[in-house]
Amino acid sequence: MPRRWTEKASHDNKERWLLTYSDLITLLMIFFVVMYSISSINAQKMAALASSLAQAFIGSPAPGLFEEGGLPSLVPGVAPAPGGQGTEGQGVEGTELARVKVELQQYIRQEGLEGQINLENEERGLVVSMADMILFPKGSAELTPEAQALLRRVGQALTRLPNYLRVEGHTDNLPIHTPLFPSNWELSTARATNVVKVLVNDAGISPGRLSATGYGEYRPVVPNDSEANMARNRRVDIVILKEAYNVTEPHH
């Protein structure tokens, strides 16, 4: 009897490795399932990121991505507009911005304003940058009659767009201290505000789409180390914000 019990116990001990082996196989299977699920999520996120970047830079999704449906934007600070239009809406918006850019380029060439009005596509939208010399007398925020006519023409090209418009005033770093403008802050803000008034009163743009901001000397495009560079920094920018930025603008 003792011998038979010993033989049975010895037989059981030899097969205990099967339990360890089955546990190991189960753990490996769980590990690979988890790894697969993680890799699938990352692939989707990377694809969504690529599509979002393509929309930000060219106004349409990257070819070949999400042909069967889109994913939410993953670009920080950029969210779909309220009641978003999706991929098709982004394409329509890009086409409209391109149309406005072409129309303004033709006007700039016709009037010989190359070098005084520049058009730049930025991540936030289309920027119409105008040198202060074609808008204001030196040290003043009063628009000249020629400047008012120019802004009316520019405003007409923007009227049909639904986008928000941000008018930004900039100066060089030369200090100013007058009763009207104690600093460049006041000068740049007054200039932006006067441009907004013309766009509203003369070009017929809805006031709810406009905002005025004065940056003073603190957003230069080039160092203020020469008169030519300082002239470039003295400017008023009209920024046609992409509809994705509606979430950062006050709206009803």
Side-chain angles (χ1 to χ4, degrees), residues 136-158:
F136 311 98
K138 186 175 181 180
S140 172
E142 294 299 320
L143 289 159
T144 64
E146 294 78 12
Q148 294 181 29
L150 183 155
L151 289 171
R152 279 195 296 270
R153 180 63 183 83
V154 171
Q156 290 169 2
L158 308 181

Side-chain angles (χ1 to χ4, degrees), residues 167-171 187-189 191-192 212-216 235-237:
V167 181
E168 301 174 344
H170 301 269
T171 69
L187 176 60
S188 62
T189 303
R191 286 180 166 183
T213 303
Y215 288 111
R235 67 197 192 280
V236 172
D237 293 342

Side-chain angles (χ1 to χ4, degrees), residues 118-233:
N118 294 311
L119 306 176
E120 293 290 340
N121 287 317
E122 296 184 0
E123 193 273 337
R124 57 182 177 160
L126 177 63
V127 180
V128 183
S129 186
M130 297 172 286
D132 75 327
M133 67 180 67
I134 63 171
L135 299 175
F136 311 98
K138 186 175 181 180
S140 172
E142 294 299 320
L143 289 159
T144 64
E146 294 78 12
Q148 294 181 29
L150 183 155
L151 289 171
R152 279 195 296 270
R153 180 63 183 83
V154 171
Q156 290 169 2
L158 308 181
T159 303
R160 297 185 295 276
L161 294 174
N163 308 63
Y164 286 112
L165 307 174
R166 183 185 298 155
V167 181
E168 301 174 344
H170 301 269
T171 69
D172 58 29
N173 64 347
L174 286 179
I176 186 173
H177 187 73
T178 68
L180 282 177
F181 310 116
S183 73
N184 283 322
W185 289 109
E186 285 84 1
L187 176 60
S188 62
T189 303
R191 286 180 166 183
T193 302
N194 286 341
V195 169
V196 164
K197 290 178 180 178
V198 173
L199 295 178
V200 172
N201 297 329
D202 296 350
I205 296 177
S206 170
R209 293 173 50 204
L210 286 156
S211 61
T213 303
Y215 288 111
E217 64 203 69
Y218 299 104
R219 300 289 178 91
V221 291
V222 291
N224 286 292
D225 54 8
S226 68
E227 180 53 42
N229 281 356
M230 293 169 76
R232 289 183 60 187
N233 290 329

